[in-house]
Amino acid sequence: MTTQSAALPAFDRAASGPALTASLLVTMIAAATIAGAWFFQLVLEILPCPLCLEQRYAYYLAIPLGALTAFAARSGAPRPLLLAGLAILALATLANAGLGGYHAGVEWGFWKGPTDCSGPVANLGSATDLLSRLDTVKVVRCDEVQWRFLGMSLAGYNVLISLLMTGIAAWGFVRTAKRA
């Protein structure tokens, strides 16, 4: 009777442990964070600015990639595949922390942000209704904080959450790479 590791030299069940743990944690944190962002937007009506929406891209990548990496780790995928998934997760979340830091700097007035704004764009109806409808459009600016908790905006919390996910993915990468 042969073991799986003997049949597949690149497979090592022990090496999949940190990869599985890290990818599952990143997936759960990303899913909880994006659910929170949607709650703020849809329930509390705190509308996102363009930079807020861009910061969500990393979460939209991390959720399926983290789940796929966890599935691969659970299924005994080759170590290089697990390392690639964890590396992409770490790099995407680190880049997102940078974007969140940039956004927080814009909010604090450390530097200028993008000039575009966002607001709901819908059917504006006839030309006579255009002016009245424009008065009801809420424009969301990147340099105006709509909500703070303990002195930090959602962009600041995004930095902390993204750095946490980066650390978890990096931990999984290092532990998976070290296992022989």
Side-chain angles (χ1 to χ4, degrees), residues 40-41 44-49 52 56 118-120 138 140 146:
F40 274 87
Q41 180 179 344
L44 301 180
E45 296 182 358
I46 298 174
L47 300 177
C49 72
C52 293
R56 293 181 185 184
S118 69
K138 181 178 179 185
V140 181
Q146 296 184 62

Side-chain angles (χ1 to χ4, degrees), residues 4-153:
Q4 250 184 336
S5 59
L8 298 169
F11 172 76
D12 181 6
R13 177 141 325 260
S16 70
L20 177 63
T21 302
S23 56
L24 281 176
L25 281 172
V26 168
T27 302
M28 290 186 304
I29 292 168
T33 302
I34 208 69
W38 289 339
F39 176 80
F40 274 87
Q41 180 179 344
L42 300 173
V43 176
L44 301 180
E45 296 182 358
I46 298 174
L47 300 177
C49 72
L51 282 176
C52 293
L53 293 173
E54 288 178 21
Q55 290 170 72
R56 293 181 185 184
Y57 296 159
Y59 295 98
Y60 295 142
L61 170 69
I63 294 168
L65 180 59
L68 187 61
T69 304
F71 178 76
R74 184 83 170 104
S75 300
R79 184 180 314 203
L81 182 65
L82 301 178
L83 292 173
L86 291 168
I88 293 169
L89 285 171
L91 291 173
T93 54
L94 182 61
N96 199 48
L99 182 59
Y102 168 73
H103 188 187
V106 169
E107 291 174 341
W108 285 101
F110 295 149
W111 43 75
K112 292 204 180 276
T115 57
D116 59 340
C117 294
S118 69
V121 178
N123 180 8
L124 296 176
S126 67
T128 58
D129 293 335
L130 180 60
L131 289 177
S132 64
R133 289 185 183 261
L134 286 177
D135 287 336
T136 63
V137 172
K138 181 178 179 185
V139 176
V140 181
R141 297 174 44 100
C142 295
D143 59 352
E144 293 178 357
V145 178
Q146 296 184 62
W147 184 85
R148 285 190 197 272
F149 181 69
L150 300 176
M152 196 179 321
S153 69

